Amino acid sequence: MVDIHAHTKKESAFFYGCCDRTNYHNHAQVKLLNVLFGKADSNFNMLYSSHFVSEGKRSTARVTFFKEFQCYAYTLENSFLGACDGSFHFSAFDY
């Protein structure tokens, strides 16, 4: 499941995922989507991605879906600000 959001504070696109801190194999699988996106698009920033759930995010759709259905769940954050290289700023025409 991918929940898609837009934001204005960080450049580029990145993921929030759900990861079991005690299971290294699960962590590697969850991060695989980041690697694939990072290789496919230079505007995807793997360094902004996070896969551990903080206390304040436990009631989000992503985390609820992950817990209830025991499957991969992500939030894909896309920037209104622009690309990570600063070469452009998105406008309404880009969407």
Side-chain angles (χ1 to χ4, degrees), residues 13-17 27-41 44-51 74-77:
F14 56 93
F15 280 113
Y16 290 121
H27 189 200
Q29 288 177 328
V30 169
K31 289 183 80 171
L32 179 60
L33 190 61
N34 281 338
V35 173
L36 295 174
F37 267 71
K39 288 182 183 281
D41 188 348
F44 184 81
N45 191 330
M46 293 188 335
L47 298 176
Y48 287 161
S49 296
S50 175
H51 302 95
Y74 300 89
T75 298
L76 173 60
E77 294 282 351

Side-chain angles (χ1 to χ4, degrees), residues 63-76:
V63 177
T64 301
F65 196 87
F66 174 73
K67 287 179 182 177
E68 292 292 323
F69 298 105
Q70 297 296 308
C71 65
Y72 299 114
Y74 300 89
T75 298
L76 173 60

Side-chain angles (χ1 to χ4, degrees), residues 22 34 55 69 85:
T22 63
N34 281 338
E55 187 72 32
F69 298 105
D85 63 3

